[in-house]
Amino acid sequence: MEGKWLIADRDLNEREGLKWLLKTSSIPVSDIIIASNYQEFIVLFEKEIPDIVLLELDMISKEVWSAFRELMQIYDPILLLTSAEATFEKARLAIDMQAMDLMIKPFSTTKVKSAFQKASRRLNSNFYTNSIHHPHSHKDISYEGLFLSQETTSENVKIAAFQTESVDMVPTLYSYIMEYPFIDNRGVFALSDMVVLLFKDNCHNITEQCQKAMRKWEEEYSDPLAIVVHKGTSSAMTLNQKYLQTKKMLEFTYYKGYRQVVELEFSPDWGHIDPFLTPPEQREWVDMLTNLDLEKIKTWLYDEFLQLHDPYPDPGLVRIRLTSILAQIRRFMKTYNLNDNPSLEQDYRYIFNSILYDTVLYRTVQNLILFSQKIFIGAETSMQNLKQDPIELGISYMRANFSNSSLRLEDVAQNVDRNPSYFSHLLITKTGSSFTEMLASIRMKEAKRLLIETRKPIKEISILAGYQNANYFSRMFKEIIGVTPRDFRMQKSD
């Protein structure tokens, strides 16, 4: 179908350039109308009633915005918008207008031609399916209905939420969904991190439609897609309640991954886990790291995080638990001075960000395993360098195992393959401290860190620092540091 186009832009060169691109394309066009300002645009629009409007968003002032919006809703042309401002506000206005695309100046020829093709395909689709343009949002269904609990609609609808792994792909996803021939579609709403699609309540093949749409999406785009279909039929639920439940279900992609369509009829509840490692778990991690036991670490992580089932734990708690594990790895790195290695330090920051922000748990676990492998290689190199220096190796062993309350001089000497008496003599000669003094110094350093950085009770800190008896720990702390653990914490918090 040949369409009538109206191009409105205040810049003469931009107007003529857009007109030239349209005329030289293979798109069937019946007429191209040009407007240089908003007043001229309104006059030409009401006179010509174009099929497709290409409009500079920046020419519309706040004073005339409501009138412009109402005019577009009445005539419902296919709308392409341009702007020189790459801001969230402009994107929000474009979404509010249900625009097919928002192009930021300076234009990319490829981007403009792609937008022209999409608009032309939409025009043909509308022509062959119905002689009347059907808007993708309806008078009684709006963004307010999604976000405000008190908003009601005159009809009951079902929701499907589409989410790409990359937020940058949401505009592309929105354009794709706007073009896709969904049946019984009652509205399309683009949000900052997803696109919400509404269906008539009596539509029974929503999941099948979504699966087909996903397959076609994967043929055209590399970014994976997750879709949640809310199949709840309760008429008592508002659109906002259904939206909130659907949004929550999308969080399950953290466990289930992308490239699938998930159905639900009610909002699932999160389970609970302890987000912090227990003292026995901390000791287990110290042992695995000290022994460079990558296979045991891999098994531990798989069992802990990849065997989860309903009710799944809150992803926030899982992320905290992963940071607790990373803290153990960080201490291991410091033991072998691996934090001085720029490459490993960069990898550490990458893992930290993966734990906080990665959208799929499996990927974070795999990254953690690969990182462990890297630091083990670094630790082996460091140990090779330390082999000629039993004191440095012995101190490193003490730093890695100080939380073991039964750690003895004999254990450390055996680890460095030296006689205990001889090792003790070497330690005093090189450092000026005995084994007992050195171990106490390491333990007190950790105790001070825990007192400053955490709110753990004194009894738990004493265990983490390698003391089974809290009273003995407090007495030793005051003897070495000069104040009690409680007073030390209070001083540092002031």
Side-chain angles (χ1 to χ4, degrees):
M1 174 186 173
E2 292 187 350
K4 183 185 292 187
W5 291 63
L6 173 52
I7 298 175
D9 198 293
R10 293 171 296 178
D11 187 311
L12 173 62
N13 292 332
E14 299 285 7
R15 291 197 305 273
E16 293 302 318
L18 291 168
K19 180 180 178 180
W20 180 82
L21 280 175
L22 183 57
K23 288 179 67 175
T24 56
S25 70
S26 58
I27 296 171
V29 178
S30 63
D31 197 8
I32 302 176
I33 308 152
I34 299 295
S36 60
N37 56 58
Y38 181 72
Q39 290 73 24
E40 189 177 355
F41 164 77
I42 291 298
V43 172
L44 291 172
F45 182 88
E46 293 182 336
K47 178 184 177 181
E48 302 290 342
I49 313 297
D51 301 297
I52 299 172
V53 169
L54 176 55
L55 174 74
E56 180 192 4
L57 192 55
D58 306 331
M59 71 164 53
I60 306 172
S61 65
K62 292 181 180 179
E63 291 74 22
V64 300
W65 176 261
S66 296
F68 166 73
R69 188 174 185 272
E70 184 176 350
L71 185 67
M72 295 300 104
Q73 287 179 335
I74 292 172
Y75 288 95
D76 191 36
I78 296 170
L79 191 59
L80 299 174
L81 297 176
T82 68
S83 176
E85 299 179 27
T87 62
F88 173 79
E89 175 63 17
K90 294 298 181 182
R92 187 190 67 78
L93 292 175
I95 290 172
D96 182 49
M97 292 303 303
Q98 299 288 296
M100 174 173 282
D101 209 335
L102 172 63
M103 294 178 285
I104 303 300
K105 299 179 181 182
F107 299 130
S108 157
T109 302
T110 303
K111 171 72 173 175
V112 172
K113 287 183 176 180
S114 174
F116 285 172
Q117 292 287 352
K118 288 179 182 178
S120 179
R121 288 198 298 269
R122 170 73 62 75
L123 181 62
N124 287 326
S125 174
N126 290 349
F127 178 78
Y128 288 113
T129 56
N130 201 316
S131 60
I132 302 175
H133 292 299
H134 290 287
H136 285 264
S137 61
H138 297 264
K139 201 168 185 179
D140 59 341
I141 302 177
S142 64
Y143 278 91
E144 288 81 1
L146 287 178
F147 297 125
L148 302 180
S149 58
Q150 65 269 28
E151 290 287 323
T152 58
T153 61
S154 62
E155 64 174 311
N156 197 21
V157 294
K158 293 178 179 177
I159 296 181
F162 292 64
Q163 188 175 63
T164 53
E165 185 168 4
S166 170
V167 176
D168 294 339
M169 287 295 290
V170 170
T172 303
L173 175 63
Y174 173 68
S175 299
Y176 171 80
I177 292 176
M178 291 287 281
E179 289 185 33
Y180 191 86
F182 285 102
I183 301 171
D184 293 329
N185 169 16
R186 293 295 290 149
V188 181
F189 300 89
L191 308 181
S192 61
D193 58 346
M194 72 181 79
V195 179
V196 174
L197 180 58
L198 305 184
F199 290 91
K200 290 181 180 179
D201 187 48
N202 59 2
C203 181
H204 299 295
N205 66 338
I206 299 175
T207 301
E208 290 77 5
Q209 289 193 64
C210 290
Q211 288 171 337
K212 290 179 181 178
M214 178 180 283
R215 285 196 292 270
K216 185 177 178 183
W217 167 270
E218 291 181 345
E219 291 173 1
E220 298 185 26
Y221 304 98
S222 59
D223 202 59
L225 190 65
I227 303 176
V228 168
V229 177
H230 191 303
K231 301 197 74 175
T233 57
S234 172
S235 59
M237 291 183 64
T238 66
L239 181 59
N240 172 251
Q241 289 172 324
K242 291 180 180 179
Y243 161 69
L244 291 176
Q245 290 189 1
T246 306
K247 182 180 179 182
K248 182 176 179 180
M249 190 61 186
L250 270 175
E251 295 183 49
F252 276 72
T253 55
Y254 186 60
Y255 300 109
K256 296 178 177 293
Y258 286 80
R259 292 191 169 91
Q260 59 182 310
V261 180
V262 178
E263 296 179 344
L264 78 153
E265 295 185 8
F266 56 88
S267 179
D269 294 323
W270 294 123
H272 179 76
I273 60 169
D274 186 347
F276 300 105
L277 294 178
T278 63
E281 287 173 331
Q282 290 186 16
R283 286 193 289 272
E284 185 176 5
W285 267 94
V286 168
D287 289 341
M288 291 189 295
L289 291 166
T290 301
N291 296 322
L292 310 184
D293 197 337
L294 185 64
E295 286 304 313
K296 194 171 181 180
I297 286 177
K298 187 186 298 184
T299 301
W300 197 99
L301 291 172
Y302 281 174
D303 291 344
E304 181 74 15
F305 296 110
L306 302 187
Q307 306 297 328
L308 296 169
H309 52 77
D310 193 37
Y312 289 92
D314 187 322
L317 297 180
V318 173
R319 294 183 192 276
I320 294 173
R321 191 160 175 78
L322 285 164
T323 58
S324 297
I325 292 170
L326 189 61
Q328 296 295 323
I329 294 176
R330 185 63 168 174
R331 293 191 190 98
F332 175 81
M333 290 177 65
K334 290 182 177 180
T335 298
Y336 292 96
N337 298 318
L338 300 180
N339 52 307
D340 294 334
N341 183 316
S343 176
L344 289 178
E345 189 66 11
Q346 183 177 353
D347 289 341
Y348 168 79
R349 289 195 294 269
Y350 173 80
I351 294 297
F352 186 71
N353 285 323
S354 174
I355 290 172
L356 292 182
Y357 305 116
D358 216 322
T359 54
V360 182
L361 175 59
Y362 179 83
R363 190 179 302 139
T364 300
V365 171
Q366 288 300 111
N367 287 338
L368 202 53
I369 291 170
L370 293 174
F371 182 59
S372 299
Q373 188 175 40
K374 282 187 177 181
I375 64 169
F376 284 172
I377 294 173
E380 286 176 337
T381 302
S382 179
M383 283 189 282
Q384 288 295 326
N385 296 334
L386 289 172
K387 270 191 175 179
Q388 303 305 317
D389 190 341
I391 298 305
E392 289 296 329
L393 190 57
I395 293 174
S396 295
Y397 183 80
M398 291 164 68
R399 286 173 179 162
N401 294 274
F402 67 85
S403 60
N404 180 1
S405 60
S406 60
L407 184 65
R408 302 172 306 156
L409 169 64
E410 288 75 12
D411 300 323
V412 179
Q414 182 179 4
N415 182 263
V416 298
D417 196 26
R418 293 294 188 276
N419 176 276
S421 298
Y422 180 59
F423 176 80
S424 178
H425 169 72
L426 290 176
L427 182 64
I428 294 174
T429 301
K430 182 167 184 176
T431 68
S433 299
S434 67
F435 169 78
T436 303
E437 291 169 339
M438 178 63 70
L439 182 58
S441 174
I442 293 171
R443 285 172 169 169
M444 290 303 154
K445 182 178 179 180
E446 174 66 5
K448 288 193 293 183
R449 187 191 70 80
L450 291 171
L451 286 167
I452 295 172
E453 297 180 6
T454 76
R455 302 183 68 179
K456 296 179 184 295
I458 304 299
K459 185 175 181 180
E460 184 178 349
I461 289 177
S462 70
I463 294 173
L464 294 174
Y467 296 93
Q468 288 296 320
N469 187 296
N471 291 330
Y472 178 70
F473 161 69
S474 296
R475 191 164 65 251
M476 289 294 297
F477 190 93
K478 184 175 182 180
E479 182 180 322
I480 295 173
I481 307 301
V483 294
T484 66
R486 193 177 308 279
D487 290 341
F488 178 83
R489 172 176 274 173
M490 291 178 65
Q491 289 173 4
K492 295 300 179 180
S493 63
D494 291 340

